Amino acid sequence: MAKKILRLKEVKTRTGLGRSTIYLLIAQGSFPRSIALGERAVGWLESDLDECINERIRQSRQHGRDD
């Protein structure tokens, strides 16, 4: 199965989070780390991002939130 790499613009669209929030969550250990694509380019594995989103959904529902 092929791995898909998402750039920041798509990560922001899929999560609804801004750039600074994404990097803050990475620093806190609660968001997938980016992977280096080049000297000045990074991306995220789509599968890692999907796991993170699904975990946030599970946590939200356990705490009685339906947002």
Side-chain angles (χ1 to χ4, degrees), residues 13-67:
T13 299
R14 290 185 62 175
T15 62
L17 300 172
R19 178 189 179 282
S20 58
T21 301
I22 290 169
Y23 283 104
L24 176 65
L25 292 172
I26 290 170
Q28 293 174 349
S30 57
F31 198 85
R33 292 180 56 97
S34 59
I35 57 170
L37 301 176
E39 225 176 279
R40 294 175 41 109
V42 297
W44 285 260
L45 287 175
E46 183 178 39
S47 58
D48 289 350
L49 191 60
D50 288 342
E51 277 183 42
C52 180
I53 291 169
N54 288 332
E55 181 58 28
R56 287 185 175 273
I57 291 169
R58 277 191 292 277
Q59 288 176 357
S60 178
R61 290 186 176 161
Q62 285 178 349
H63 293 98
R65 298 167 116 184
D66 292 327
D67 308 358

